[in-house]
Amino acid sequence: MTSVILVCSQDAELYLLLAHILHREGFEAQLAASEDDAVDACTTSAISAVLLDCAGWPGDVAPLCSLLKEAGLPVGALIGGDMRSQHLQLIRAGLEEVITRPLSPSKLLAFLNTVGPGPNAVTAPSFVVPAEFVFEQQAVVFAGRRIDLAPIEARILKFLLENQGQISTREQLIDAVWTNPRRVDRRTVDVHIGRLRKAVGGLRSLRVRTVYGAGYALEFHDA
């Protein structure tokens, strides 16, 4: 299976250049032009690694790097010579490789040589999603039924699946799901849990249970 490299960039010319190099080396390129694009790609696609173009990225790249690392993905950053402070932040976030701009093909190829095949699109690196779950863009298919989900609710559902049989606290959900946990309060979690619960409300065999004073748990029942 061809390894897919997610290119996070708003520079169309750079993306086309990277896509050409990746294709020549036997990889497939996929573009993410926003943080939501990147999150959706990691949720729905078999991504093997990420190239993060720091120049001109709309927002702080360090939280995005941390999120990608939490997903178990190798991350390489394309950094200009005047980005020393950002470079240090990315290293703290778990960055594997720095590729300076103008682009160094040898550095890029060295990073690509460390990349193996991506995980299956319906699995995550740290756990196995039950076979009846298939995550798609903006939706999840459960037992043959397609349920529309926003990216945040999809990530919450995946985290609850990862911890099925356990109680997940609001703090754990905030740390695992949001790119900037410090800006998220407990009430925000409750709102998104409510939306997730409403989305799956028609499924008799699946329930998001509130454990008062503790958090939330995902439960399965015989239909």
Side-chain angles (χ1 to χ4, degrees):
M1 183 178 67
T2 302
S3 295
V4 179
I5 309 299
L6 183 68
V7 179
C8 298
S9 178
Q10 290 199 335
D11 186 333
E13 291 185 2
L14 176 65
Y15 172 71
L16 291 174
L17 173 61
L18 289 171
H20 173 74
I21 295 173
L22 291 170
H23 180 73
R24 189 179 63 193
E25 297 298 322
F27 296 92
E28 180 182 339
Q30 181 172 333
L31 177 64
S34 68
E35 186 172 303
D36 284 345
D37 287 348
V39 171
D40 287 346
C42 293
T43 302
T44 62
S45 304
I47 303 298
S48 295
V50 180
L51 287 172
L52 181 57
D53 178 24
C54 298
W57 184 256
D60 188 355
V61 291
L64 177 57
C65 182
S66 296
L67 179 66
L68 295 168
K69 289 302 301 173
E70 288 170 6
L73 294 170
V75 180
L78 304 173
I79 295 180
D82 58 346
M83 304 177 69
R84 179 179 175 83
S85 61
Q86 200 169 39
H87 181 184
L88 293 174
Q89 291 176 352
L90 288 168
I91 289 175
R92 295 190 188 102
L95 181 71
E96 268 91 7
E97 188 72 56
V98 172
I99 304 165
T100 56
R101 296 186 64 178
L103 184 64
S104 168
S106 61
K107 196 85 168 181
L108 174 61
L109 294 178
F111 172 66
L112 294 176
N113 286 336
T114 69
V115 175
N120 186 277
V122 297
T123 65
S126 58
F127 70 102
V128 177
V129 175
E132 61 267 35
F133 284 91
V134 179
F135 283 86
E136 298 180 347
Q137 185 140 357
Q138 304 291 327
V140 62
V141 179
F142 172 65
R145 180 170 175 178
R146 189 177 188 275
I147 305 163
D148 292 332
L149 286 180
I152 287 288
E153 281 85 65
R155 297 201 297 273
I156 290 174
L157 178 58
K158 270 203 166 185
F159 184 81
L160 293 175
L161 279 169
E162 177 181 5
N163 294 278
Q164 58 185 292
Q166 305 175 38
I167 298 171
S168 297
T169 67
R170 291 173 177 83
E171 289 75 17
Q172 288 173 329
L173 286 165
I174 290 171
D175 288 340
V177 170
W178 275 268
T179 57
N180 194 343
R182 288 176 294 181
R183 297 184 179 180
V184 182
D185 58 27
R186 293 161 61 91
R187 176 58 182 159
T188 301
V189 178
D190 295 340
V191 169
H192 286 284
I193 285 287
R195 292 174 181 171
L196 175 61
R197 185 178 280 135
K198 183 177 180 180
V200 302
L203 301 174
R204 295 182 180 179
S205 56
L206 178 65
R207 183 167 75 100
V208 181
R209 181 169 67 95
T210 299
V211 183
Y212 291 99
Y216 299 98
L218 199 64
E219 293 184 342
F220 294 90
H221 304 277
D222 294 333

